[in-house]
Amino acid sequence: MENIGSKVLLVDDEKDILEFLSYNLRKNNFVVLTATNGKDAIKIARAKIPELIILDIMMPEMDGIEACNELRAIPELKDTVMAFLTARTEDYTQIAGFDAGADDFIKKPIRPNVFISRVNALLRRRKHFASKEDVIELDNIIIDKDEYLVVKDGKKTQLPKKEFELLYFLSSRPNKVFSREEIFNHVWGDEVIVGERTIDVHIKKIREKIGFDNIRTYKGIGYSFILSSGI
């Protein structure tokens, strides 16, 4: 009952799925909003600012990936959790989804109890991330959670949500080596099904965009954010 009253926006062009998921959410005291395409979802999200948006990927007019990209560009929705509802679990689909700003993938077919558990877990992660300090300053790097912004040597770079959260998590405890399992659990959640290369791809993109060598790879173990004094 921890998330009573939380607003959830469901977006799917299949009305039977909308009805099924809406019924189970309302039964668990969530406020439910619905849309059948990405364009309507954006209008509703702007007006209502839901805590969680669940999007189908394959939809008419505007698919879930494109809609997620546009939703992530709306400042008022920066703390909204977004998840894709899909039967597709290929690595490239997940990477495209996370690049668009998704927090999770919920796999079809859906069992009601598992679905509600996943929704609660996503909202817990939202509260956990929102409770952390807004800015981390290390050496010549500033990591600003409020704007998903990294400043290094005066150069500003805005990262997609998952890349930022990964960097933020590693930098929250400099010089600590985080195992791959720890990173998955804290950044993606222990119930999220992602490909083996997901972390590696995100680390590679962070390095390409920020251009610093503070993130060190420990083969077979995980990653660490190393301060210059510890390199």
Side-chain angles (χ1 to χ4, degrees):
M1 307 296 279
E2 58 192 316
N3 295 303
I4 286 177
S6 294
K7 282 183 282 187
V8 180
L9 171 58
L10 299 172
V11 190
D12 200 306
D13 61 324
E14 295 185 41
K15 291 188 177 181
D16 56 338
I17 290 179
L18 281 183
E19 290 175 3
F20 172 71
L21 297 181
S22 296
Y23 169 77
N24 282 282
L25 286 168
R26 290 191 178 103
K27 192 170 70 170
N28 285 274
N29 300 299
F30 290 93
V31 175
V32 182
L33 311 165
T34 62
T36 56
N37 62 73
K39 288 184 178 180
D40 287 345
I42 291 167
K43 292 177 186 176
I44 294 169
R46 280 185 186 276
K48 301 295 185 180
I49 315 296
E51 284 88 349
L52 172 62
I53 300 174
I54 299 174
L55 297 145
D56 187 31
I57 289 183
M58 305 301 292
M59 293 186 294
E61 295 190 53
M62 179 185 288
D63 66 30
I65 300 286
E66 188 180 353
C68 188
N69 263 313
E70 294 205 17
L71 288 163
R72 278 289 173 229
I74 300 171
E76 293 81 3
L77 298 174
K78 70 179 182 65
D79 292 326
T80 295
V81 181
M82 299 187 196
F84 283 119
L85 185 66
T86 180
R88 301 178 63 177
T89 57
E90 308 97 334
D91 278 2
Y92 68 84
T93 300
Q94 293 181 4
I95 290 169
F98 287 129
D99 282 350
D103 295 282
D104 195 358
F105 277 77
I106 300 175
K107 189 178 178 181
K108 297 178 181 178
I110 307 156
R111 288 181 292 169
N113 290 343
V114 174
F115 174 68
I116 295 301
S117 175
R118 181 66 62 84
V119 166
N120 280 318
L122 284 167
L123 291 170
R124 278 197 302 272
R125 283 163 52 200
R126 175 182 182 271
K127 290 175 183 176
H128 175 71
F129 188 70
S131 69
K132 292 184 177 180
E133 61 182 292
D134 290 336
V135 178
I136 293 175
E137 296 189 41
L138 301 166
D139 290 343
N140 58 341
I141 301 166
I142 299 171
I143 303 170
D144 186 343
K145 185 185 72 176
D146 192 48
E147 298 185 26
Y148 290 87
L149 186 70
V150 180
V151 183
K152 180 183 182 276
D153 296 327
K155 180 183 177 183
K156 296 181 179 180
T157 304
Q158 201 154 25
L159 297 177
K161 190 169 188 290
K162 270 290 168 275
E163 289 174 27
F164 181 87
E165 290 183 358
L166 174 53
L167 175 63
Y168 192 91
F169 176 65
L170 293 175
S171 62
S172 67
R173 295 186 64 185
N175 301 325
K176 171 179 167 56
V177 179
F178 289 99
S179 69
R180 297 176 67 84
E181 183 179 2
E182 285 179 291
I183 295 170
F184 272 126
N185 289 348
H186 284 269
V187 179
W188 280 273
D190 57 0
E191 295 180 336
V192 181
I193 301 171
V194 295
E196 284 294 318
R197 294 182 59 249
T198 299
I199 293 178
D200 306 323
V201 170
H202 280 69
I203 291 288
K204 182 174 182 289
K205 289 184 177 182
I206 292 170
R207 286 170 170 159
E208 288 172 349
K209 292 173 183 177
I210 307 302
F212 62 79
D213 57 1
N214 292 78
I215 300 179
R216 180 178 293 177
T217 302
Y218 290 82
K219 289 187 178 180
I221 302 173
Y223 293 94
S224 179
F225 185 97
I226 303 295
L227 296 178
S228 59
S229 58
I231 294 176

